């Protein structure tokens, strides 16, 4: 594929699927609840873990990168934890933090550290630490929100 997004025929895939997009060789199904969706997010986490090229592809498309960030707003713990993991991997790409300067990703990730779910807390704290180390604006925003102490507290429990 040419990197374009295809949204047609999603109604034929499953009744719960609200949209589908294909970027290169990556398939993402959006509805936030189905096992298929959760599996796709998990596969994306594995892809970004093992492939620098995939991380760069995601970061190179601002709209797709921001769409992935928006998955942090879902209510499913597994999806949120895997999304934070995807972001942790993507923040290894130098320009990733700059692309998100006009978003409130620091507040979003910081909010995810306030949970009883240790996986979400850990993945969000690691993503936030990487983001803040990558970009001075994000570090300043973290300080404004009083997040340095929160981040320090979360990181004590990370092996």
């Amino acid at each position: 594929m040419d990197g374009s997004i295809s949204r047609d025929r999603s109604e034929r895939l499953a009744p719960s699927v609200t949209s589908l997009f294909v970027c290169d060789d990556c398939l993402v199904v959006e509805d936030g609840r189905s096992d298929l969706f959760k599996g796709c997010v998990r596969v994306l986490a594995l892809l970004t873990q093992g492939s620098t090229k995939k991380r760069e592809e995601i970061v190179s498309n601002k709209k797709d990168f921001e769409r992935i960030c928006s998955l942090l707003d879902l209510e499913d713990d597994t999806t949120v934890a895997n999304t934070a993991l995807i972001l942790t991997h993507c923040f290894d790409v130098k320009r990733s933090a700059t692309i998100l300067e006009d978003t409130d990703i620091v507040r979003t990730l910081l909010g995810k550290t306030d949970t009883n779910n240790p996986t979400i807390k850990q993945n969000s704290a690691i993503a936030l630490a990487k983001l803040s180390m990558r970009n001075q604006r994000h570090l300043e925003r973290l300080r404004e929100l009083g997040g340095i102490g929160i981040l320090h507290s979360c990181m004590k429990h990370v092996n």
Side-chain angles (χ1 to χ4, degrees), residues 105-118:
I105 189 68
V106 172
R107 180 186 299 275
T108 302
L109 284 169
L110 191 58
K112 296 302 172 186
T113 63
D114 185 23
T115 179
N116 291 326
N117 184 311

Side-chain angles (χ1 to χ4, degrees), residues 121-122 124-127 129-130 148-159:
K121 182 179 286 203
Q122 177 178 320
S124 297
I126 293 169
K130 277 188 163 184
I148 300 292
I150 295 168
L151 190 59
H152 185 274
S153 173
C154 290
M155 296 304 279
K156 278 195 244 180
H157 305 290
V158 174
N159 293 333

Side-chain angles (χ1 to χ4, degrees), residues 122-139:
Q122 177 178 320
N123 290 356
S124 297
I126 293 169
L128 190 54
K130 277 188 163 184
L131 177 68
S132 299
M133 290 184 335
R134 190 59 78 196
N135 183 288
Q136 188 64 32
R137 278 191 186 166
H138 292 302
L139 179 59

Side-chain angles (χ1 to χ4, degrees), residues 24-109:
D24 295 333
D25 56 350
C26 182
L27 166 72
V28 178
V29 179
E30 292 182 45
D31 83 346
R33 295 180 310 269
S34 73
D35 289 337
L36 177 60
F37 176 82
K38 293 175 192 178
C40 288
V41 174
R42 178 65 184 137
V43 167
L44 191 56
L46 291 170
L47 280 171
T48 57
Q49 178 182 18
S51 173
T52 302
K53 181 181 177 196
K54 287 297 169 202
R55 286 179 235 150
E56 290 172 354
E57 285 176 8
I58 290 168
V59 171
S60 69
N61 186 320
K62 182 178 180 180
K63 187 175 179 178
D64 285 346
F65 193 34
E66 288 177 347
R67 182 178 294 136
I68 289 169
C69 292
S70 74
L71 298 178
L72 290 169
D73 296 329
L74 297 178
E75 300 207 4
D76 178 67
D77 285 354
T78 303
T79 301
V80 172
N82 283 327
T83 300
L85 187 58
I86 292 165
L87 294 177
T88 297
H89 301 149
C90 288
F91 291 152
D92 287 337
V93 177
K94 285 188 179 185
R95 65 188 178 282
S96 60
T98 305
I99 291 169
L100 298 176
E101 282 182 341
D102 295 332
T103 69
D104 209 6
I105 189 68
V106 172
R107 180 186 299 275
T108 302
L109 284 169

